[in-house]
Amino acid sequence: SQTIHQWPATLVQPVGSPLSLECTVEGTSNPNLYWYRQAAGRGLQLLFYSVGIGQISSEVPQNLSASRPQDRQFILSSKKLLLSDSGFYLCAWSGPPGDTQYFGPGTRLTVL
Amino acid sequence: SQQGEEDPQALSIQEGENATMNCSYKTSINNLQWYRQNSGRGLVHLILIRSNEREKHSGRLRVTLDTSKKSSSLLITASRAADTASYFCATDGSYNTDKLIFGTGTRLQVFP
C-alpha cells in the first residue's frame, strides 16, 4: 500500500532563517506531487506541483521554492523565511492528474 | 484563483441530524471531489464524482452534481460527533487536469 510521509511535524523558525520541508511517498512510482499551504481556519493554497523528476510548476510567486530530486521525494525550501510564511504545509500525491489526492500529515510552521 | 466555494462556511447540528454542504465552481470540470480534514491533520478523500454522474453514495454520504448550475452538494445523514471536521470540495480543470483547486471549506460541528 502507498504511504506518504512529511517531516518535521512541527517547526518554529526565526525570521530570515532557511527552511527545508521534506515529503516522501512509498509504494507507488512516478506520482504527481503537490505542496499546499493552509492558513489557520482557511482553505488550501496550491504552492507547487510536479509531474516528474525535476519538473516543478509554481502557482504563487513567493520566497519559497520546490525541488524533486528523486521520483518520490518532494522538498519545499526557503532561503529566508518571512512572518507570512507561517502556516500548515501539506504534501500530497496522486496517480493520474486530477484524480484523488492523498495527503501527508502536514507540517505546522511558525515563523517568529 | 478560487475554483470552489463552499456554503455555509460553518454549520452546527445535533447528533442524528443530517448535514448538507454545498459547493459552487466556475469552470468546466472532469470531476469533483470531497475531502474531510480533522483539526490539525491532513485531508482525507471521501468521494469523487465525475462530470457525467449526477449522484453518488458512500455509506452515510451522498453527493450530487449539477453541471448546469456548476454546483455540488454533500449530505451526511444521521450525523455523529465524530463527523466534526472541515469539509472541502475540489475540482480539476477540464483544460489543466494536473492539479486540483480546493474550495474554502465548511466547518461542521456535531454536538452529542
Side-chain angles (χ1 to χ4, degrees):
Chain A
S1 65
Q2 302 89 358
T3 55
I4 178 169
H5 304 279
Q6 279 188 251
W7 65 90
T10 60
L11 191 59
V12 180
Q13 292 283 97
V15 168
S17 64
L19 174 73
S20 181
L21 302 181
E22 190 163 342
C23 171
T24 60
V25 181
E26 297 176 354
T28 187
S29 58
N30 196 31
N32 293 311
L33 296 170
Y34 308 85
W35 276 114
Y36 294 89
R37 178 169 58 202
Q38 185 179 32
R42 305 292 294 277
L44 276 70
Q45 179 186 37
L46 179 62
L47 302 175
F48 302 95
Y49 68 95
S50 171
V51 299
I53 296 175
Q55 300 178 60
I56 308 294
S57 296
S58 174
E59 291 294 300
V60 181
Q62 56 207 317
N63 70 320
L64 299 173
S65 62
S67 62
R68 184 170 179 174
Q70 300 181 45
D71 180 45
R72 290 170 288 179
Q73 183 184 32
F74 206 21
I75 297 172
L76 183 69
S77 303
S78 174
K79 292 181 179 178
K80 288 185 178 181
L81 283 168
L82 307 173
L83 287 174
S84 57
D85 291 324
S86 293
F88 192 48
Y89 288 82
L90 288 159
C91 180
W93 75 271
S94 74
D99 213 337
T100 299
Q101 292 189 8
Y102 301 92
F103 284 79
T107 294
R108 184 158 308 280
L109 172 66
T110 303
V111 183
L112 301 174
Chain B
S1 64
Q2 206 74 45
Q3 167 75 314
E5 296 284 341
E6 281 92 338
D7 169 57
Q9 290 188 332
L11 179 62
S12 294
I13 59 175
Q14 295 291 133
E15 261 190 331
E17 295 180 338
N18 295 341
T20 300
M21 290 159 266
N22 302 295
C23 169
S24 60
Y25 57 92
K26 298 174 183 175
T27 64
S28 298
I29 62 171
N30 295 305
N31 64 59
L32 184 144
Q33 303 178 44
W34 284 92
Y35 289 79
R36 165 197 168 120
Q37 182 183 33
N38 286 66
S39 181
R41 309 291 293 272
L43 278 71
V44 175
H45 178 257
L46 295 176
I47 200 163
L48 181 153
I49 186 166
R50 303 203 181 277
S51 60
N52 61 352
E53 297 175 307
R54 291 295 167 259
E55 188 171 311
K56 207 161 182 180
H57 296 255
S58 176
R60 291 184 296 112
L61 305 180
R62 174 179 169 252
V63 169
T64 61
L65 178 64
D66 187 335
T67 52
S68 67
K69 295 182 179 178
K70 290 186 168 60
S71 68
S72 172
S73 67
L74 169 67
L75 168 67
I76 304 174
T77 59
S79 63
R80 305 166 182 168
D83 294 327
T84 294
S86 291
Y87 293 82
F88 296 90
C89 68
T91 54
D92 67 348
S94 59
Y95 303 112
N96 181 356
T97 59
D98 286 346
K99 58 188 181 181
L100 297 178
I101 305 297
F102 284 80
T104 52
T106 292
R107 293 187 304 280
L108 173 66
Q109 176 85 51
V110 182
F111 292 99

